[in-house]
Amino acid sequence: MRPFRYGLIGSGIATSLSPPLHEAEGPHHGLDVSYALIDTARPGVPDDLGRLLDEAEAAGFAGVNITHPFKQRVIAELDRLSPQAADIGAVNTVVFTGGRRIGHNTDAAGFAESFRHGLPGAASGHVVQLGAGGAGAACAYAQLSGGTRRLTVADPDPVRRAGLVETFAARFGAGRIAGAAPEDLDGALASADGVVNASPVGMDAHPGTPLPPELLRPGQWLVDIVYMPLETPLLAAARARGLRAIGGAGMCVFQAAESFALITGRTPDTGRMLGRLERLLARRGRDGRAGPPPTETRRVT
């Protein structure tokens, strides 16, 4: 099989399931995939994105995935963006080709496909989204592109919130997107058909809920894009209140599948990848582990 190296750059990603997810798909395409975790939260790993990209490229990586908190910061380190990544203003996949770094965004397509599969027929007249970072930008783009008539974006960072609203108002129309401070969530949720958590709150590294669960109303739906833990406190609270609710496993697989295709040039089997992720998550739930220990990559060379 052909050796193939790539990986993930982010902070607090030690428990990521990306390595076994990508590595298990590789052999089906004649590839011996080695997927490294480059975790800037680890001692000794520099919080220097340009240097990390240089090292990955020099080490023979075909590309890298990018996650929190670098999806927007990475743009300054790239040679070119795909049209969709440029529209969204965030990148989660970088392909190294011909001495150039090309940025792509597969999060938007991953969100859209997960929503279509997980919440068929869900009303989207007004949606409240929590989070205006890199993942939030992709989710907002997917919703506005997919027909959501009005999107309210809440984020505790007023500059980040206003920037996302301004960018997408220019593209989709000022009447279709607005910002809200966290203290205004109660009023925004009163007329919402659904809620999307596109913030990192709820992840293993960022425990908690991004809003008081009592603000959720029966009849609404909820998407929490966090997939570890599989059942976040917000997801559990939504289901307990009778909401239709899905977690982030579907988005994780659909975005990973598109990323796999961009980096390897092979088309993966999303059903097979979803089954693999479900088994990994089930194993994690049983014994507290996510499967084989992830590669502890301090440097990529």
Side-chain angles (χ1 to χ4, degrees), residues 218-294:
Q220 292 175 330
W221 52 261
L222 178 127
V223 176
D224 191 339
I225 70 168
V226 173
Y227 77 95
M228 288 200 308
L230 183 59
E231 181 89 341
T232 64
L234 181 63
L235 198 58
R239 288 172 173 157
R241 296 175 72 85
L243 277 68
R244 295 173 66 193
I246 60 171
M251 179 176 170
C252 172
V253 165
F254 290 119
Q255 66 80 22
E258 187 173 339
S259 176
F260 182 97
L262 286 167
I263 293 176
T264 68
R266 310 295 205 277
T267 301
D269 184 321
T270 54
R272 183 166 58 219
M273 291 181 76
L274 185 58
R276 172 67 172 166
L277 181 63
E278 288 173 347
R279 290 191 294 275
L280 288 165
L281 289 168
R283 178 176 176 180
R284 177 183 172 87
R286 285 196 303 271
D287 61 17
R289 294 184 295 118

Side-chain angles (χ1 to χ4, degrees), residues 190-235:
S191 63
D193 295 304
V195 180
V196 173
N197 177 35
S199 80
V201 180
M203 293 171 59
D204 287 335
H206 302 276
T209 62
L211 84 171
E214 59 268 21
L215 296 184
L216 299 172
R217 292 169 168 79
Q220 292 175 330
W221 52 261
L222 178 127
V223 176
D224 191 339
I225 70 168
V226 173
Y227 77 95
M228 288 200 308
L230 183 59
E231 181 89 341
T232 64
L234 181 63
L235 198 58

Side-chain angles (χ1 to χ4, degrees), residues 82-298:
S82 70
Q84 189 175 73
D87 283 346
I88 294 170
V91 163
N92 76 324
T93 302
V94 177
V95 178
F96 301 141
T97 179
R100 290 164 60 81
R101 299 170 181 170
I102 314 302
H104 301 266
N105 190 297
T106 70
D107 281 335
F111 178 91
E113 193 69 3
S114 176
F115 188 88
R116 185 175 71 84
H117 279 261
L119 291 171
S124 56
H126 178 210
V127 177
V128 171
Q129 176 177 298
L130 313 171
C139 292
Y141 181 90
Q143 292 175 86
L144 292 169
S145 299
T148 295
R149 292 195 295 276
R150 184 161 60 99
L151 183 69
T152 299
V153 178
D155 192 286
D157 184 331
V159 175
R160 184 168 59 188
R161 182 176 72 233
L164 188 148
V165 170
E166 181 180 358
T167 297
F168 287 163
R171 177 171 179 80
F172 295 103
R176 295 189 61 195
I177 184 167
E183 58 267 25
D184 297 327
L185 269 176
D186 194 6
L189 286 166
S191 63
D193 295 304
V195 180
V196 173
N197 177 35
S199 80
V201 180
M203 293 171 59
D204 287 335
H206 302 276
T209 62
L211 84 171
E214 59 268 21
L215 296 184
L216 299 172
R217 292 169 168 79
Q220 292 175 330
W221 52 261
L222 178 127
V223 176
D224 191 339
I225 70 168
V226 173
Y227 77 95
M228 288 200 308
L230 183 59
E231 181 89 341
T232 64
L234 181 63
L235 198 58
R239 288 172 173 157
R241 296 175 72 85
L243 277 68
R244 295 173 66 193
I246 60 171
M251 179 176 170
C252 172
V253 165
F254 290 119
Q255 66 80 22
E258 187 173 339
S259 176
F260 182 97
L262 286 167
I263 293 176
T264 68
R266 310 295 205 277
T267 301
D269 184 321
T270 54
R272 183 166 58 219
M273 291 181 76
L274 185 58
R276 172 67 172 166
L277 181 63
E278 288 173 347
R279 290 191 294 275
L280 288 165
L281 289 168
R283 178 176 176 180
R284 177 183 172 87
R286 285 196 303 271
D287 61 17
R289 294 184 295 118
T295 305
E296 295 188 3
T297 305
R298 185 168 174 269

